[in-house]
Amino acid sequence: SQKIEQNSEALNIQEGKTATLTCNYTNYSPAYLQWYRQDPGRGPVFLLLIRENEKEKRKERLKVTFDTTLKQSLFHITASQPADSATYLCAPLRGTGRRALTFGSGTRLQVQP
Amino acid sequence: NAGVTQTPKFQVLKTGQSMTLQCAQDMNHNSMYWYRQDPGMGLRLIYYSASEGTTDKGEVPNGYNVSRLNKREFSLRLESAAPSQTSVYFCASRGDREFQRAFFGQGTRLTVV
């Protein structure tokens, strides 16, 4: 069966450092992968999308990579800030929007001032 | 635009009681989803609907029923609530085209005692 794995342990880093979060998938051949941010008590919010033919995508301090050989996506936040503290979720996808949308369990990031 | 609206925001039920969680979206999306989120478990898909009149089971459908009332509304019903259904429930919607992001409601916090 399809499986999406994210680090279940919380990631604690110091302000200003780069945070790297991992999303691994098995029994999937996603054509693209989405990353979302979720703050406590709120619904997830979309951050970035990367397609299978893109090795890397950037948006301000965010960078996402997608390695279809390793079946892995990495999500980086550079110059991290306490405001970046949240849970980050990945969703590997294929096809149109009329399909099931499943997520990894998420990684909680805590940025210490 | 309101986006995705869920009601109620909080609910306490006694074991065996029934209730319906409501979800409505104003973005003209065909696809709608119901998730539950438990501590450390991430978002788990309960049911989804790819269009008005169709519904499909997700990862954890047991104990739930859904109705896609029209294009805007997708409801989740607990016929006989159990303590194991204590959770935060999120509704989401997504457009048809490939790469479309999902939009989430603010969640319903349900406690079954």
Side-chain angles (χ1 to χ4, degrees):
Chain A
S1 61
Q2 297 172 333
K3 197 171 181 181
I4 309 166
E5 292 181 322
Q6 295 185 252
N7 292 349
S8 56
E9 300 282 332
L11 180 63
N12 292 291
I13 63 168
Q14 287 295 120
E15 183 175 7
K17 301 293 186 183
T18 296
T20 298
L21 286 67
T22 304
C23 176
N24 294 301
Y25 55 91
T26 54
N27 298 322
Y28 255 115
S29 294
Y32 56 106
L33 196 143
Q34 295 181 341
W35 282 89
Y36 291 75
R37 169 184 172 140
Q38 185 177 23
D39 292 291
R42 310 197 66 164
V45 175
F46 173 83
L47 292 175
L48 274 176
L49 173 149
I50 185 165
R51 306 177 192 197
E52 62 180 336
N53 61 351
E54 299 174 314
K55 294 300 181 187
E56 181 180 297
K57 194 84 165 278
R58 291 176 185 262
K59 179 182 177 183
E60 298 173 350
R61 294 183 296 109
L62 307 180
K63 184 179 86 171
V64 174
T65 63
F66 192 9
D67 189 324
T68 56
T69 301
L70 291 178
K71 295 185 180 294
Q72 181 182 79
S73 176
L74 299 178
F75 180 84
H76 306 272
I77 305 175
T78 59
S80 59
Q81 305 166 359
D84 295 325
S85 298
T87 296
Y88 293 86
L89 302 150
C90 69
L93 291 156
R94 187 167 197 90
T96 71
R98 293 202 181 202
R99 294 197 175 189
L101 175 59
T102 54
F103 291 84
S105 56
T107 298
R108 188 163 62 87
L109 172 66
Q110 189 70 38
V111 181
Q112 306 291 343
Chain B
N1 283 344
V4 179
T5 303
Q6 291 182 234
T7 56
K9 291 185 180 178
F10 301 94
Q11 184 72 48
V12 179
L13 286 180
K14 292 183 179 178
T15 298
Q17 285 186 318
S18 62
M19 81 159 294
T20 300
L21 280 63
Q22 307 286 354
C23 176
Q25 51 92 11
D26 61 4
M27 294 171 282
N28 203 38
H29 288 162
N30 276 308
S31 296
M32 296 185 74
Y33 307 84
W34 274 107
Y35 298 89
R36 61 177 288 172
Q37 187 170 40
D38 304 298
M41 296 293 289
L43 286 168
R44 291 187 291 170
L45 182 64
I46 305 172
Y47 272 94
Y48 69 102
S49 169
S51 63
E52 183 180 348
T54 69
T55 60
D56 285 283
K57 293 180 180 179
E59 302 164 279
V60 289
N62 292 344
Y64 305 95
N65 287 303
V66 290
S67 295
R68 184 71 184 268
L69 305 169
N70 46 56
K71 193 170 186 177
R72 288 188 66 247
E73 298 172 291
F74 188 36
S75 62
L76 178 72
R77 182 159 179 85
L78 286 70
E79 291 291 352
S80 179
S84 60
Q85 294 178 306
T86 293
S87 189
V88 181
Y89 292 85
F90 287 99
C91 176
S93 72
R94 195 157 83 109
D96 282 355
R97 288 162 51 192
E98 199 175 13
F99 311 130
Q100 292 289 295
R101 68 183 68 179
F103 293 84
F104 284 81
Q106 75 275 34
T108 296
R109 185 173 295 275
L110 175 68
T111 302
V112 183
V113 298

